Every structure is written in C-alpha cells, then in structure tokens.
Amino acid sequence: MKLITLLLMVTLLYASNSDMEQLYLKNACNSCHGMYGEGMGASPRLQGVKEYILLRRLKDLQQGKARSANGTIMISFAKVLDENQTIEMAKYLSNLKTLIPDDRYDIEYEPAGDGGS
C-alpha cells in the first residue's frame, strides 16, 4: 500500500512539473529567463530561487508591483496565472535544474580549422 501511495505521489509531482514546464514554455518565459530559468541578460535567474521568494514576487507582480522598468512587462505574464498555477510555478522554478551539461560547448565546438583566433 505504501509503495502504491509513493508511486502515485511521484506521478502527480511529475505531471505537475510537466504542466508547469508546458505553461513556462507556452507563456514564453524561456525567451527572457532561459530554457531552464537560468536568466539571460537583464532577465533574472529563476532557477533554484527559494520557493517563498518566487511566490512573493509573482504575487507582487499580479498586484501590479514591479521593481524595475523592465519588470513591468512581467505584470501581464503574472496576471494570467491563477492562484494554484502561481503556487505551482514558484515550486517548479525553485526546483528547476539545467539539464544541459556545463561543458556542452567544449563538446559541440572544435575551434581547430575554423580560421578563428
């Protein structure tokens, strides 16, 4: 019985993460924050930030509070999330990990013979 309960919980957690991943991509969060929430340019890293901080930030944005001029764009994105999605997105982002190895460029890029310096 305990094993069945554990399997059900893992399945629900995976489904929830999958739903949040789809929502993250559907809302184009990755276009500014990166595929894994790693942050890009002026857009902050979301990956691994404590859940309560992300939740507070999303709720602030939903109330129209932005801390920077660039942050105002986030207000409209945050407002499309319902209460449950807001909670689940904060949880998803806090547990998000980069799935691509850090040395990926060493593997994919061989500078020899390209004429570069």
Side-chain angles (χ1 to χ4, degrees):
M1 186 70 163
K2 288 183 179 181
L3 181 61
I4 293 172
T5 304
L6 180 62
L7 287 173
L8 180 61
M9 289 175 60
V10 169
T11 302
L12 289 174
L13 179 62
Y14 178 75
S16 176
N17 279 347
S18 178
D19 290 346
M20 288 303 104
E21 179 181 13
Q22 288 177 18
L23 187 61
Y24 183 83
L25 296 173
K26 177 184 169 205
N27 289 344
C29 304
N30 60 312
S31 64
C32 293
H33 294 285
M35 189 65 184
Y36 302 102
E38 67 274 20
M40 294 176 13
S43 299
R45 176 180 60 84
L46 304 173
Q47 176 189 86
V49 175
K50 292 184 187 313
E51 183 178 340
Y52 76 91
I53 293 172
L54 291 166
L55 184 58
R56 183 182 68 218
R57 183 71 178 121
L58 283 169
K59 288 185 176 192
D60 283 351
L61 288 164
Q62 289 170 338
Q63 295 171 7
K65 300 175 187 174
R67 296 186 180 127
S68 70
N70 292 337
T72 56
I73 188 78
M74 278 301 305
I75 291 171
S76 60
F77 286 107
K79 284 186 175 187
V80 300
L81 301 174
D82 64 32
E83 186 174 345
N84 186 55
Q85 288 173 327
T86 302
I87 293 166
E88 291 300 315
M89 185 61 74
K91 186 179 299 184
Y92 168 73
L93 293 169
S94 70
N95 292 304
L96 197 56
K97 304 270 189 268
T98 300
L99 300 177
I100 299 172
D102 289 335
D103 62 349
R104 68 186 176 267
Y105 296 112
D106 294 337
I107 295 167
E108 296 172 359
Y109 178 70
E110 177 57 50
D114 70 352
S117 54

